[in-house]
Amino acid sequence: WTTPVKGPDNKGMVWKTYQSPSGFLEFSKVFPKLPKDWSAVTAYAGVRLVADQPTMVLLECNSFNSFRIYLNSKEIFFRPGMQLDLPNGNRVEANLVVGENTLVFRCTESASSPQFPWGLYLRILNPAAPEQTKIPGVRIAPK
C-alpha cells in the first residue's frame, strides 16, 4: 500500500511490504530496529483480497497478546488479553464483498517476551473445506 496511515501523534506512517515465510508474522523481523526494552506498542498488518463474488472465508488466527481484526474498516473480531500462542487459537468468519477487500489486524504488545515473540498467526481457509487454503474466486490483490 502506498496510502499513509495516521498514528496517534497524527503523523503519517507508511505500510512496509513483508511476507512471512512460515505463517507467523514476527514483528521483530519486520521492525529489526525496535528497542529490546520496549512495551505497549501497536502494529498493524494487512492483506488485500479480491473476490469475484460474495464469499465467506474462515480466518484461523492468533497472537499471544490482544488483537483486533477489521474487514473493510469494520471491526469483525476482538480478542482481549493474553492467550497461549496457538496458531489456530481462533476461527473467525469473514464475508468478502465483490472486488477488493482490506483485512487489517491491530496487534498490541504490552510487554516483550523471549518465550512468546510478538507476532500474528494467520491462515485464510475455505469454510467448505477448512483443510484448504485455496478458495475459488478469491486471490491476494496485486501490489
Side-chain angles (χ1 to χ4, degrees):
W1 285 305
T2 56
T3 307
V5 177
K6 297 284 184 181
D9 57 3
N10 210 27
K11 291 185 180 175
M13 298 179 284
V14 294
W15 291 100
K16 181 176 183 178
T17 300
Y18 181 86
Q19 184 172 347
S20 170
S22 67
F24 178 68
L25 175 59
E26 188 173 344
F27 289 118
S28 65
K29 301 230 189 288
V30 180
F31 308 110
K33 295 181 181 178
L34 200 60
K36 300 295 181 204
D37 59 348
W38 53 268
S39 64
V41 176
T42 297
Y44 293 85
V47 61
R48 293 179 301 164
L49 302 171
V50 177
D52 294 338
Q53 60 189 14
T55 306
M56 185 182 23
V57 297
L58 188 61
L59 308 175
E60 196 171 71
C61 53
N62 206 6
S63 180
F64 178 69
N65 287 77
S66 67
F67 66 98
R68 295 176 188 268
I69 305 172
Y70 300 90
L71 177 61
N72 299 326
S73 301
K74 181 182 174 197
E75 184 176 300
I76 61 168
F77 183 76
F78 173 51
R79 213 288 324 285
M82 294 182 196
Q83 185 180 44
L84 289 177
D85 216 1
L86 303 171
N88 58 353
N90 300 280
R91 283 193 163 184
V92 179
E93 292 178 349
N95 293 304
L96 305 180
V97 297
V98 174
E100 192 168 287
N101 294 266
T102 304
L103 188 63
V104 175
F105 289 78
R106 180 182 188 260
C107 304
T108 303
E109 178 73 19
S110 55
S112 59
S113 166
Q115 294 93 349
F116 300 104
W118 183 32
L120 170 71
Y121 289 98
L122 172 64
R123 287 192 320 160
I124 302 171
L125 304 173
N126 182 343
E131 68 283 353
Q132 296 179 12
T133 55
K134 188 163 253 188
I135 302 163
V138 176
R139 60 197 173 282
I140 294 175
K143 296 178 184 174

